[in-house]
């Protein structure tokens, strides 16, 4: 699981550390949560329409709340950018920590796919804000379903790969607290099961169960993942907590 200890190399030969993880993770969760809460407030408390609701309710919401819809698009699309950067940065961090197993690459692929799915979902929702679309209820329903699929299963399942790609090496290489790594594996498992939502809509409850705790989980990892293998080793040898090791 481990390779060259990069901290023993001369400064000019060490791989670049990459952007700091905490600001990226916080940006993802902040933009994601604001994209849900702020449009609802602007819509007077009216919830974003469920894709499983009646067509009249869906069409009526987009006709009555175009500003809320476009704000959802803006914030959702904005959240996809730091997510992609986070996936690349954490892949680089794990490589710097000496992890040579496929896990980080799988996590990177999952993060990029989740970011792309979020952007595609925003694109479908953006199409719903076009005035000419509001005269075609059947197209509104179709685009809303596509936006749900992209922002639901197509986002959550790859996000589970990102979580698993961090949790597995975090557990095996002792880069994360054991409890945090195990929680990540459980969340990744729930995200994988959410694939069944495509065939069994009643399992859609798994989407928020996997989505929101996973967002909080990547924030915790951003703070606790050590910056160098030497820091992780020092923490393990001296009994220092992973939190303290991550600060060194």
């Amino acid at each position: 699981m481990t390779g060259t200890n990069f901290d023993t190399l001369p400064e000019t030969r060490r791989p670049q550390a990459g952007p700091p993880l905490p600001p990226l993770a916080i940006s993802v969760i902040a933009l994601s949560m604001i994209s849900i809460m702020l449009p609802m407030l602007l819509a007077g408390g009216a919830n974003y329409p469920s894709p499983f609701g009646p067509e009249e309710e869906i069409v009526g919401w987009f006709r009555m709340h175009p500003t809320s819809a476009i704000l959802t698009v803006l914030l959702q699309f904005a959240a996809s950018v730091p997510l992609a950067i986070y996936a690349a940065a954490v892949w680089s961090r794990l490589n710097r920590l000496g992890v040579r197993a496929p896990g980080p690459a799988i996590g990177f692929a999952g993060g990029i796919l989740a970011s792309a799915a979020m952007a595609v979902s925003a694109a479908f929702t953006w199409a719903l804000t076009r005035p000419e679309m509001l005269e075609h209820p059947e197209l509104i329903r179709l685009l809303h379903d596509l936006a749900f699929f992209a922002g639901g299963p197509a986002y959550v399942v790859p996000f589970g790969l990102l979580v698993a790609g961090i949790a597995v090496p975090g557990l095996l290489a002792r880069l994360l607290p054991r409890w945090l790594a195990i929680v990540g594996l459980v969340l990744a498992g729930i995200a994988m099961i959410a694939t069944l939502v495509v065939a069994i809509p009643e399992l859609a409850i798994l989407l928020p169960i996997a989505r929101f705790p996973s967002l909080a989980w990547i924030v915790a990892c951003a703070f606790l993942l050590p910056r160098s293998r030497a820091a992780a080793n020092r923490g393990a040898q001296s009994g220092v907590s992973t939190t303290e090791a991550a600060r060194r």
Side-chain angles (χ1 to χ4, degrees), residues 29-244:
I29 192 171
L31 290 169
S32 297
M33 296 307 297
I34 295 173
S35 72
I36 296 172
M37 301 304 297
L38 187 56
M40 185 174 66
L41 292 175
L42 291 178
N47 291 323
Y48 192 80
S50 167
F52 305 112
E55 182 177 293
E56 297 77 13
E57 179 180 314
I58 296 171
V59 174
W61 192 92
F62 283 102
R63 285 177 175 171
M64 294 176 61
H65 307 292
T67 302
S68 296
I70 198 67
L71 187 58
T72 298
V73 171
L74 175 62
L75 293 169
Q76 190 177 52
F77 182 72
S80 70
V81 178
L83 177 57
I85 300 173
Y86 179 91
V90 78
W91 174 81
S92 175
R93 175 75 64 85
L94 290 171
N95 274 271
R96 180 180 172 82
L97 290 169
V99 179
R100 297 294 179 264
I106 293 173
F108 173 68
I112 295 301
L113 288 173
S115 173
M118 185 182 292
V120 170
S121 177
F124 283 130
T125 305
W126 176 82
L128 288 168
T129 67
R130 309 305 296 165
E132 56 271 21
M133 281 293 180
L134 300 180
E135 304 304 320
H136 302 281
E138 68 284 356
L139 291 180
I140 292 178
R141 184 61 186 257
L142 173 62
L143 289 171
H144 188 51
D145 285 348
L146 291 173
F148 165 75
F149 179 81
Y155 166 80
V156 169
V157 174
F159 201 97
L161 291 179
L162 171 62
V163 171
I166 303 172
V168 172
L171 178 65
L172 297 181
R174 298 181 181 179
L175 300 174
L176 292 172
R178 182 178 177 83
W179 67 268
L180 184 63
I182 292 175
V183 168
L185 292 176
V186 171
L187 291 173
I190 295 173
M192 294 301 105
I193 296 173
T195 304
L196 297 175
V197 173
V198 176
I200 310 174
E202 291 77 12
L203 292 178
I205 186 62
L206 294 177
L207 298 176
I209 292 175
R211 179 193 300 264
F212 298 115
S214 293
L215 287 171
W217 190 87
I218 67 169
V219 173
C221 287
F223 284 96
L224 296 179
L225 196 63
R227 296 183 180 180
S228 67
R229 187 73 212 190
N233 291 339
R234 287 196 300 269
Q237 293 170 1
S238 63
V240 177
S241 68
T242 308
T243 304
E244 291 297 325

